Structure formats: C-alpha cells, structure tokens
Amino acid sequence: MSDKKGILIILSGPSGSGKDTVLNELVARNDDLRVSISMTTRKMRQGETDGVNYYFVDRDYFEKKVSEGKMLEYAEYVGNYYGTPKAPVDEMLNNGINVVLEIEVQGADKIRKMYPDVVSVFLMPPSLSTLESRIRMRGTEDEETIANRLFIAQQEIRRADEFGYVIVNDTVSEAVESFETIIKAEQLKFSRNKHLISEVTGNV
C-alpha cells in the first residue's frame, strides 16, 4: 500500500462527447493514471474488447453483483445497466494510483456521497449538432435510439453545474491538456498534502 492515496476522478458527459477518446489519450500520457473498467449489459460494439473497454455481462449476472454489494455504483441507461466494480478501484487508490471512473451523471451522485474528496469532471460537446454527428458516425444506432440519446444528452448537460470542472471537447489534444491541468491542481491541494507540515517541521 502506498503512503499517499491516489485521487479518484469522475468523468461524465453525454454519449458522443468523446469520453473514451480523451481517456485513451490521457492514460497513454500518464503512467500513474488508470481508468476503472465498468461493467455493462449492453452489446459489444465493433472494435471493443471484453475486459478492456467494459466487462460485458448479462442482466442476471449484473443484478447478482448488485445484490452482493460488489458494485460501487450502477445505473440503467437506454435499457442497459452500467456500473463500477468496487474492489479494483479501492485497490488502485490504496496503491497511490489515480483512478478515473467514466460513469453516467446519475451514477456520479452516488460516488460523491461515498467519496467526499472525489474530483468530478463533465465533458461537454461544442454543440448539440456536433454531438449528433459523432453519434451518427458510429453507425450503430437506429433513428429512435439516436433521438433518445440526444434527448438524454440535453438533460445531462443541464446538470453540468453539479460538477467541479467542465471541459469542452472541441479538440482531443486541448481536452486532454485541460484534464491534466485539473489533476495537477488537485495533487497540489493542501487537503491532500497535510503530511508535508510534519515532514518539513519535524513535528516541532
């Protein structure tokens, strides 16, 4: 176990805002950062890998984990469950690793109550038209699902003020740089560095 705990970070934002792309680049540039792998009941998309992008499970298995108290948070979104297994997150934090939870807005509420010092970031699309274009580029959803995602996106964006930080994902490189600035600022907070007083003064 590390002497200094890692920072827990929530990343939320509407579907199509680019969360996965930003996080992939962020992790590639920061060795001390990990993204918690979520569990979901939705179908695997082309190019995704079980155990890398998500743990893909059926509803019975997911509900069993919930009943056993092994999920940090979970939510149902567009007919599918999404959630975060608890044990891997706590283990990484205790080992001094910063952990990002990519979760839905409603799941973020639960995490804030469990971890008062959590850092919350909302990833915002430049516009709703840009968001719609990104969703359509996937080519994985029908018109009804796209309309539903856009409606939910508007509801989620209205709750952006519940987060500590907001990043507009216009370009991935700028969004990643903003994210790194947030992490650096949080690492320098006094509340995370109280031990320095005794180390510098020698407990005098």
Side-chain angles (χ1 to χ4, degrees):
M1 184 181 292
S2 172
D3 291 336
K4 189 172 182 180
K5 289 194 68 174
I7 297 173
L8 183 62
I9 306 161
I10 292 171
L11 177 63
S12 291
S15 175
S17 59
K19 297 185 294 294
D20 289 338
T21 303
V22 169
L23 285 180
N24 288 340
E25 181 67 20
L26 192 67
V27 171
R29 290 170 47 159
N30 295 271
D31 294 335
D32 62 344
L33 183 72
R34 300 286 186 278
V35 178
S36 172
I37 300 174
S38 297
M39 187 180 292
T40 183
T41 58
R42 79 157 168 79
K43 293 181 180 179
M44 194 185 310
R45 294 174 183 152
Q46 186 175 357
E48 291 182 328
T49 303
D50 184 39
V52 176
N53 303 99
Y54 286 95
Y55 296 114
F56 293 95
V57 301
D58 60 30
R59 291 183 72 88
D60 288 343
Y61 182 88
F62 195 105
E63 289 172 354
K64 181 174 182 289
K65 292 299 178 184
V66 170
S67 66
E68 292 173 347
K70 292 183 178 179
M71 300 300 291
L72 192 60
E73 56 79 33
Y74 72 97
E76 191 166 6
Y77 177 79
V78 195
N80 289 301
Y81 284 128
Y82 294 81
T84 306
K86 187 176 189 302
V89 171
D90 287 338
E91 182 179 354
M92 287 187 285
L93 291 174
N94 289 332
N95 286 326
I97 298 170
N98 298 328
V99 181
V100 179
L101 304 182
E102 182 189 342
I103 58 179
E104 308 303 327
V105 171
Q106 54 186 309
D109 289 336
K110 300 172 185 176
I111 299 298
R112 288 191 195 95
K113 293 172 183 174
M114 297 174 69
Y115 297 86
D117 62 346
V118 69
V119 178
S120 60
V121 180
F122 190 91
L123 193 64
M124 185 90 73
S127 66
L128 283 177
S129 60
T130 300
L131 186 68
E132 181 176 355
S133 297
R134 290 174 180 174
I135 294 173
R136 290 187 180 279
M137 284 176 62
R138 293 174 179 170
T140 57
E141 282 107 357
D142 58 25
E143 287 299 318
E144 183 179 355
T145 303
I146 290 172
N148 195 23
R149 285 191 182 280
L150 290 173
F151 174 77
I152 292 172
Q154 293 181 62
Q155 307 307 308
E156 291 175 331
I157 290 170
R158 290 191 180 102
R159 296 181 62 182
D161 63 346
E162 298 173 14
F163 291 75
Y165 301 91
V166 174
I167 297 174
V168 176
N169 185 18
D170 197 357
T171 67
V172 173
S173 60
E174 291 178 351
V176 171
E177 288 175 6
S178 295
F179 212 133
E180 289 176 328
T181 300
I182 291 169
I183 294 172
K184 186 63 177 178
E186 287 291 333
Q187 288 174 326
L188 295 173
K189 274 190 172 180
F190 178 76
S191 59
R192 301 185 194 277
N193 293 279
K194 293 178 180 179
H195 62 284
L196 292 177
I197 294 178
S198 59
E199 289 178 6
V200 171
T201 62
N203 291 315
V204 175

